[in-house]
Amino acid sequence: MKPVAFYNQDGFYSPLEQVLERMNREGFLEKVYLDSMYFSDDFDQILDFMEHYHAPHYREYKK
């Protein structure tokens, strides 16, 4: 899984962030996927997130 960063200038992506957080609270989006997304209007923070992101282990399904 790759990280996704949103440059949230003037709060443009804040409604999307709120929907994703609600989806997590309601059980439609796992926390591990929510944690792979980052919203900020500070480019240095975005770069720091991208540089230090560690992907979670993939799920394994039994047949």
Side-chain angles (χ1 to χ4, degrees), residues 32-60:
V32 67
Y33 298 112
L34 182 62
D35 290 344
S36 71
M37 295 178 250
Y38 189 75
F39 295 80
S40 179
D41 63 354
D42 184 315
F43 197 67
D44 289 330
Q45 289 178 355
I46 289 173
L47 287 177
D48 187 60
F49 169 76
M50 297 298 259
E51 289 173 358
H52 295 98
Y53 177 78
H54 296 285
H57 295 285
Y58 286 102
R59 271 192 238 171
E60 293 185 24

Side-chain angles (χ1 to χ4, degrees), residues 12-28:
F12 183 82
Y13 287 108
S14 293
L16 175 61
E17 182 178 20
Q18 293 168 359
V19 167
L20 294 169
E21 289 171 349
R22 181 174 179 194
M23 289 174 66
N24 173 253
R25 285 192 310 273
E26 300 290 332
F28 292 101

